[in-house]
């Protein structure tokens, strides 16, 4: 795994590992991981069914919310396209760092909600 384009903290690098493993295991087109304000992590893959279509980041946010989390510290999304950040913004507000990368886990850039 290479994060040459963006210098990640050790905690954020763990999110990359979780998102990459989840995406690979499920053979999904997206993988994501988030860390909540208590340091708990949630990783998910995108869900593409006939009657359910969820982005990986949205699944992570839903997992954090349903677990009683109060907010997010950081997120990683591994996908080919630009992720929608609406769910993260709705739940955690502005200023949450989101690191974007490819299927191999190479983080190309970071942005904030």
């Amino acid at each position: 795994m290479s994060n040459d384009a963006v210098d990640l903290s050790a905690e954020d690098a763990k999110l990359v590992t979780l998102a990459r493993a989840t995406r690979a295991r499920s053979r999904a087109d997206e993988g994501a991981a988030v860390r909540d304000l208590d340091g708990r992590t949630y990783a998910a893959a995108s869900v593409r069914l006939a009657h359910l279509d969820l982005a990986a980041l949205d699944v992570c946010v839903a997992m954090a919310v349903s677990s009683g989390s109060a907010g997010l510290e950081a997120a990683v999304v591994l996908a080919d396209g630009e992720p929608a950040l609406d769910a993260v913004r709705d739940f955690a507000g502005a200023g949450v760092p989101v690191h974007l990368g490819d299927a191999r886990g190479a983080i190309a850039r970071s942005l904030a909600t």
Side-chain angles (χ1 to χ4, degrees):
M1 169 178 43
S2 172
N3 295 318
D4 294 336
V6 175
D7 188 26
L8 296 178
S9 70
E11 292 294 317
D12 288 352
K14 290 177 191 176
L15 293 179
V16 173
T17 300
L18 290 170
R20 184 174 179 227
T22 301
R23 180 180 177 167
R25 182 175 52 252
S26 64
R27 297 185 182 125
D29 58 347
E30 297 175 355
V34 300
R35 184 177 57 259
D36 73 9
L37 298 177
D38 293 324
R40 296 176 295 190
T41 57
Y42 306 89
S46 52
V47 177
R48 307 283 184 241
L49 302 173
H51 297 97
L52 183 64
D53 189 357
L54 298 170
L57 186 56
D58 292 344
V59 177
C60 286
V61 170
M63 292 168 65
V65 170
S66 67
S67 296
S69 175
L72 299 178
E73 288 183 354
V76 166
V77 180
L78 305 180
D80 292 330
E82 190 74 15
L85 302 180
D86 297 334
V88 175
R89 202 173 290 112
D90 288 350
F91 175 52
V96 177
V98 180
H99 308 292
L100 308 176
D102 63 16
R104 295 169 297 131
I107 301 299
R109 64 190 180 101
S110 297
L111 48 93
T113 58

